[in-house]
Amino acid sequence: MDETATAPDPYDYPRHWEADVVLSDGGTVHLRPITPDDAEKLLAFHGRLSERTRYFRYFGPYPRMPRRDLVRFSTVDHADRVAFTALLGDDIVAVGRYDRLGGGGSAEVAFVVEDAHQGRGLGSILLEHLAAAARERGLSRFTAEVLAENGKMVRVFRDAGYKVSRAFEEGVLHLEFDIDPTEESLEVARAREQAAEARSVHNLLHPRSVAVIGASTDRTKIGHAVLANLLTGDFSGPVYPVNAEHRSVRGVRAYPSVLDIPDDVDLAVVAVPAARVDDVMDACLAKGVKALVVVTSGFGETGESGLSAERRLTVEARAHGMRVVGPNALGVLNTDPAVRLNATLAPTLPVAGRTGFFCQSGALGTAILATAAERGLGLSTFVSAGNRADVSGNDLLQYWETDPATDVVLLYLESFGNPRKFARLARRLGRTKPIVAVKSGRHAVTPALAATSVPVDEASVQALFEQAGVIRVESLAQLFDTALLLAHQPLPAGPRVAVVGNSTAIGLLAADTALAQGLELACDPVDVGSQAGPEVFAAAVRDALDNPDADALVVVFVPPLAVPGAAFARALRDVVRDNATKPIASTFLAVEGVPDELAVPGPGGAPGRGSVPSYPSPERAVLALARVTRYARWRSAPQGRFTRPGGTDREAAQALVGSLRLDETGEVRVDDDTAVRLLACYGVEVVPFRVVGSADDAVRAAEELGYPVALKSTDDRLRHRTDLLGVRLDLSAEEAVRSAYAMLAEVSDQRDVYVQRMAPKGISCVLGLQDDPSFGTLVSFGLSGLVSDLLGDRAYRAVPLTDADAAALVRAPKAAPLLAGYRGDEPADLPALQDLVLRLAALAEDLPEVRELALEPVLASAAGAYVSSARVTLGPPPSRHDTGPRRLRSPGGVR
């Protein structure tokens, strides 16, 4: 027999094991399983290792790798023996591997990193990916032998967040640890991810030198505009025009190629036609450029051929340690006085400030920057990512979280590349820095963004933003309205608003809008009269600010004819300077932005904290204040804990789902018995019932269950009708059961019916799980009924849920006050509903095969929450974005 016929294919490995990863210094490498074709690269890698590194890895000199070892190390089965290589360009810079010990669940793990790349976090990344692969192959434990003097390697294991046991013998440490993720290991991985991705964006926005490839002497070309903007902005480092036809551009020496530049190049702005970008890319890779901003169009937005070129560009860049903004980008901006980077096509720039802005649209970016300048909103940094082939909004969220120069984050989003990750990052960032977002692309996005995005319906977007504390607005005008208040004024401590002005009509408009937005009036609107002078006006403002019942102030001002408005502005500014603890929004002179008279100078001369923003109408001022107030309430609310209810049995549930032998053919609705058993694994009890096929059986079932009972049609179309055509309730005797059975059999043409014990009367609710292809499972909640269905009165939250999320979910629908004792009714047991929500969330986390689940109706009463019916649909597990070891989004799609 030919034994090689059944031998594992050393080239056949799971493709999802490949990944681009960001290192601790912000550079990137490509990670993939080793194959026999890597033998020569592995030999060269071994030759570049120092004697000390080889000694630490092999416990001896091992100067040369014999051919038999080379074959053994480069030929693995990707199951019991797995090895990953980290590649920078064509060179292996690190190798990690595990070998199963015997036939059990343990494996020995080891890795080695080239000396020049040690200290970049490669060891911890290899450990994460090896552990994930091992878990897929049924392993649960790693062991490692490490020389006691190899402190760096010991730290990799010690700092990974696993519970490591160790034994010491003859200078060797024997380490053992379970590889199932722990809270600590996940926290460690997330912290390292944040630091690495933030560093990669920092490198992009803080270059020491910039090359403009395609710098043109033609003023109509984008290459000329980028160079002119860099020079006009007075970039702090050298700028190198690259132009093969001219010796200088705008009086600056030009170079035929980036390779001819004598010094290092940190950032290259590419402004050549799309057909030439491949050649430019080769030169940048050879030069060792660290980041690219590609303003050139003609890529993914043009169709499949352009998208293929875009993917090729991204793959090559990451493989050589480089990040890419674009293609089809407007550029990047950093107003830090120590950097002064304007690598954009925008002719008009805002002043320096403390607001970061991410925009996907290059064309819209110009208008955004111009509007920010017009309205006096200073920016710290700005990135227009265009087709977003590599650097995305998630990368910027990582950066801004730890950027000391940014206090407010603005986003213009057309699509999501990894919504699960966005939700996680936004929720964390929003606790310290407000995020304001416009989400367009509700019905269509460009082909370039669609190719690297996932569909997200409106319910999911709303759930994502609400849960993460993101302030969602509908337009750029609303975005700037909100940003001006956040950038210059403190957050309100509550919803109580005072209104002060010199016009009764305008004051009433402000008050009406405040009440319509759920705010409260701290007092009646104060009108000082149209003839009041600056001193009287200022005194009224001071009294309102001193009012302990007021959390915020709206100042409405119509300029009188006799006294210049500037005098009132100075008086108002003096009052505000003395009391800067409550936010103020104004309609001063109907100016849009921050008038000079109400500006408090900040660093660089931009309006700073304490400046009073003005709006052209009182409605816009109050709407901005209402959004900020809702955010402040979210931010000050308890964050909640990720908690798992007691009485759950994950192993039993997984075994039950595994026994159903799901295949790839599609989804299947499970039978009632399986649904009940599955829910019971999570402590969810369905009110006892029987399925019967005759009147006699119905009577016997009723006697077993205990009167009173309900009879329900097995036809969902009848059972959930609002006229209860398929349901008969409160049956207390045999004759009533027989009569109800006959009627149901007649209307449904089915002999089978449910006989169920009557639950305590309560308000009918619907709880459910639905798989969202974008970011996992949503938990939904609403009240049953035609009106709720018609109006879409459902609330959603994304898994995982905290206890605070569960509490907010059951209170979120517009009809939820009915559960709290509306008009004197007895309130329902809301904690019981919250517990039910958390149990469904735990089920969703444990069982990705659950594609849809509905508990309908759930009867909520003072006695508890009673589940009357359950529907469960199972299917192949969906892809789980933002799970597993650290990786960048795939250039070919979302991962």
Side-chain angles (χ1 to χ4, degrees), residues 49-58 60-61 115 118 147 149-151:
L49 299 179
S50 68
E51 291 183 9
R52 182 175 179 80
T53 296
R54 286 197 294 264
Y55 173 74
F56 280 158
R57 170 62 181 89
Y58 300 105
D115 295 69
Q118 292 175 9
L147 289 174
E149 56 189 301
N150 190 354

CSV table of all heavy atoms in Angstrom, one decimal, residues 49-58 60-61 115 118 147 149-151:
chain,number,residue,atom,x,y,z
A,49,LEU,N,19.9,34.4,12.5
A,49,LEU,CA,19.8,34.4,14.0
A,49,LEU,C,21.2,34.5,14.6
A,49,LEU,O,22.1,33.9,14.2
A,49,LEU,CB,19.1,33.1,14.5
A,49,LEU,CG,17.6,32.9,14.0
A,49,LEU,CD1,17.1,31.6,14.5
A,49,LEU,CD2,16.7,34.1,14.3
A,50,SER,N,21.2,35.2,15.7
A,50,SER,CA,22.5,35.3,16.4
A,50,SER,C,22.7,34.0,17.2
A,50,SER,O,21.8,33.2,17.4
A,50,SER,CB,22.4,36.5,17.4
A,50,SER,OG,21.5,36.2,18.5
A,51,GLU,N,24.0,33.8,17.6
A,51,GLU,CA,24.3,32.6,18.3
A,51,GLU,C,23.5,32.5,19.6
A,51,GLU,O,23.0,31.4,20.0
A,51,GLU,CB,25.8,32.5,18.7
A,51,GLU,CG,26.7,32.4,17.5
A,51,GLU,CD,28.2,32.3,17.9
A,51,GLU,OE1,28.4,32.2,19.1
A,51,GLU,OE2,29.0,32.3,17.0
A,52,ARG,N,23.2,33.6,20.3
A,52,ARG,CA,22.5,33.6,21.5
A,52,ARG,C,21.0,33.2,21.3
A,52,ARG,O,20.4,32.4,22.0
A,52,ARG,CB,22.6,35.0,22.2
A,52,ARG,CG,21.9,35.1,23.5
A,52,ARG,CD,22.1,36.4,24.2
A,52,ARG,NE,21.5,36.6,25.5
A,52,ARG,CZ,21.9,36.1,26.6
A,52,ARG,NH1,23.0,35.4,26.6
A,52,ARG,NH2,21.2,36.3,27.7
A,53,THR,N,20.4,33.8,20.2
A,53,THR,CA,19.0,33.5,19.9
A,53,THR,C,18.9,32.0,19.6
A,53,THR,O,17.9,31.3,20.0
A,53,THR,CB,18.5,34.3,18.8
A,53,THR,OG1,18.5,35.7,19.2
A,53,THR,CG2,17.1,34.0,18.3
A,54,ARG,N,19.8,31.4,18.8
A,54,ARG,CA,19.8,30.0,18.4
A,54,ARG,C,19.9,29.2,19.7
A,54,ARG,O,19.3,28.1,19.9
A,54,ARG,CB,20.8,29.6,17.4
A,54,ARG,CG,20.5,30.1,16.0
A,54,ARG,CD,21.4,29.4,15.0
A,54,ARG,NE,22.8,29.7,15.1
A,54,ARG,CZ,23.4,30.7,14.4
A,54,ARG,NH1,22.7,31.4,13.5
A,54,ARG,NH2,24.7,30.9,14.6
A,55,TYR,N,20.8,29.6,20.6
A,55,TYR,CA,21.0,28.8,21.8
A,55,TYR,C,19.7,28.8,22.7
A,55,TYR,O,19.3,27.8,23.2
A,55,TYR,CB,22.2,29.5,22.6
A,55,TYR,CG,22.4,28.9,24.0
A,55,TYR,CD1,22.9,27.6,24.2
A,55,TYR,CD2,22.0,29.6,25.1
A,55,TYR,CE1,23.1,27.1,25.4
A,55,TYR,CE2,22.1,29.1,26.4
A,55,TYR,CZ,22.7,27.8,26.5
A,55,TYR,OH,22.9,27.3,27.8
A,56,PHE,N,19.1,30.0,22.8
A,56,PHE,CA,17.8,30.0,23.6
A,56,PHE,C,16.8,29.1,23.0
A,56,PHE,O,16.0,28.5,23.7
A,56,PHE,CB,17.3,31.5,23.6
A,56,PHE,CG,18.0,32.3,24.7
A,56,PHE,CD1,18.0,33.7,24.6
A,56,PHE,CD2,18.7,31.8,25.7
A,56,PHE,CE1,18.7,34.5,25.5
A,56,PHE,CE2,19.3,32.5,26.7
A,56,PHE,CZ,19.3,33.9,26.6
A,57,ARG,N,16.7,29.1,21.6
A,57,ARG,CA,15.7,28.3,21.0
A,57,ARG,C,16.0,26.8,21.0
A,57,ARG,O,15.0,26.0,21.3
A,57,ARG,CB,15.5,28.7,19.5
A,57,ARG,CG,14.6,27.8,18.7
A,57,ARG,CD,13.2,27.8,19.2
A,57,ARG,NE,12.3,26.9,18.4
A,57,ARG,CZ,12.2,25.6,18.6
A,57,ARG,NH1,12.8,25.0,19.6
A,57,ARG,NH2,11.4,24.9,17.8
A,58,TYR,N,17.2,26.4,20.8
A,58,TYR,CA,17.5,25.0,20.6
A,58,TYR,C,18.3,24.4,21.8
A,58,TYR,O,18.7,23.2,21.7
A,58,TYR,CB,18.3,24.8,19.3
A,58,TYR,CG,17.5,25.2,18.1
A,58,TYR,CD1,17.8,26.4,17.4
A,58,TYR,CD2,16.4,24.5,17.6
A,58,TYR,CE1,17.0,26.9,16.3
A,58,TYR,CE2,15.6,24.9,16.5
A,58,TYR,CZ,16.0,26.1,15.9
A,58,TYR,OH,15.2,26.5,14.8
A,60,GLY,N,21.3,24.8,22.6
A,60,GLY,CA,22.6,24.4,22.2
A,60,GLY,C,23.1,25.3,21.0
A,60,GLY,O,22.3,26.2,20.5
A,61,PRO,N,24.3,25.2,20.6
A,61,PRO,CA,24.8,26.0,19.5
A,61,PRO,C,24.0,26.0,18.2
A,61,PRO,O,23.6,27.0,17.7
A,61,PRO,CB,26.3,25.5,19.3
A,61,PRO,CG,26.6,24.8,20.6
A,61,PRO,CD,25.3,24.2,21.1
A,115,ASP,N,16.6,38.5,15.5
A,115,ASP,CA,17.1,39.5,16.4
A,115,ASP,C,16.7,40.9,16.1
A,115,ASP,O,16.3,41.6,17.0
A,115,ASP,CB,18.6,39.4,16.5
A,115,ASP,CG,19.1,38.1,17.0
A,115,ASP,OD1,19.0,37.0,16.3
A,115,ASP,OD2,19.7,38.0,18.1
A,118,GLN,N,13.0,41.5,17.4
A,118,GLN,CA,12.6,41.2,18.7
A,118,GLN,C,12.2,42.5,19.4
A,118,GLN,O,12.7,43.6,19.1
A,118,GLN,CB,13.8,40.5,19.5
A,118,GLN,CG,14.1,39.1,19.0
A,118,GLN,CD,15.3,38.5,19.7
A,118,GLN,OE1,15.9,39.1,20.7
A,118,GLN,NE2,15.8,37.4,19.2
A,147,LEU,N,14.7,28.1,28.7
A,147,LEU,CA,15.8,28.4,29.6
A,147,LEU,C,15.6,29.5,30.5
A,147,LEU,O,15.0,30.5,30.2
A,147,LEU,CB,17.1,28.7,28.7
A,147,LEU,CG,17.6,27.5,27.9
A,147,LEU,CD1,18.8,28.1,27.0
A,147,LEU,CD2,18.2,26.5,28.8
A,149,GLU,N,17.3,31.7,31.8
A,149,GLU,CA,18.0,33.0,31.5
A,149,GLU,C,17.3,33.7,30.3
A,149,GLU,O,17.7,34.8,29.9
A,149,GLU,CB,19.5,32.7,31.2
A,149,GLU,CG,19.7,31.7,30.1
A,149,GLU,CD,21.2,31.4,30.0
A,149,GLU,OE1,22.0,32.3,29.7
A,149,GLU,OE2,21.5,30.2,30.1
A,150,ASN,N,16.4,33.0,29.6
A,150,ASN,CA,15.7,33.6,28.4
A,150,ASN,C,14.5,34.4,28.9
A,150,ASN,O,13.3,34.1,28.8
A,150,ASN,CB,15.2,32.5,27.5
A,150,ASN,CG,14.7,33.1,26.2
A,150,ASN,OD1,14.6,34.3,26.0
A,150,ASN,ND2,14.4,32.2,25.2
A,151,GLY,N,14.8,35.6,29.5
A,151,GLY,CA,13.8,36.4,30.2
A,151,GLY,C,12.7,36.9,29.2
A,151,GLY,O,11.6,37.0,29.6
